[in-house]
Amino acid sequence: YGRIIATADPDPLPLAQADEHRVAVDGGSIRVRRLVPAGLALPAPAILLFHGGGMVVGDIDQYENTARLVATLARCVVLNVDYRCGPEHRF
């Protein structure tokens, strides 16, 4: 899946900030990466981005460049969420 995604991956864009956080959930934690494009004054609007993969495959690392592109073009903060995938994590 990662190799397929890489074929359509945009070039990485520079950011002013990229911070990774862990958010507690039942049974553990998930990663959330906050991406702030250059020249954006905070506080600013934000978009929650849930990576592709149909809730079964994928992660925020595979969609990093896409998230950077969204942050830059939309001129907002992007919170790239690394949700838990199935079938290990139902619902």
Side-chain angles (χ1 to χ4, degrees):
Y1 182 77
R3 288 190 308 233
I4 292 169
I5 293 302
T7 63
D9 206 13
D11 293 331
L13 296 173
L15 297 171
Q17 294 177 331
D19 316 294
E20 193 158 304
H21 305 273
R22 298 214 59 96
V23 176
V25 297
D26 287 344
S29 65
I30 57 172
R31 292 185 303 159
V32 175
R33 192 171 293 149
R34 183 179 71 118
L35 306 172
V36 181
L40 183 67
L42 297 177
I47 292 175
L48 281 174
L49 189 142
F50 295 91
H51 63 78
M55 309 300 258
V56 179
V57 295
D59 62 35
I60 62 175
D61 297 324
Q62 292 171 338
Y63 284 83
E64 172 73 11
N65 292 350
T66 299
R68 287 171 175 252
L69 181 65
V70 170
T72 301
L73 294 179
R75 301 295 309 142
C76 67
V77 174
V78 168
L79 300 171
N80 192 3
V81 180
D82 196 21
Y83 60 83
R84 300 183 297 184
C85 295
E88 298 82 10
H89 301 283
R90 296 181 64 193
F91 315 113

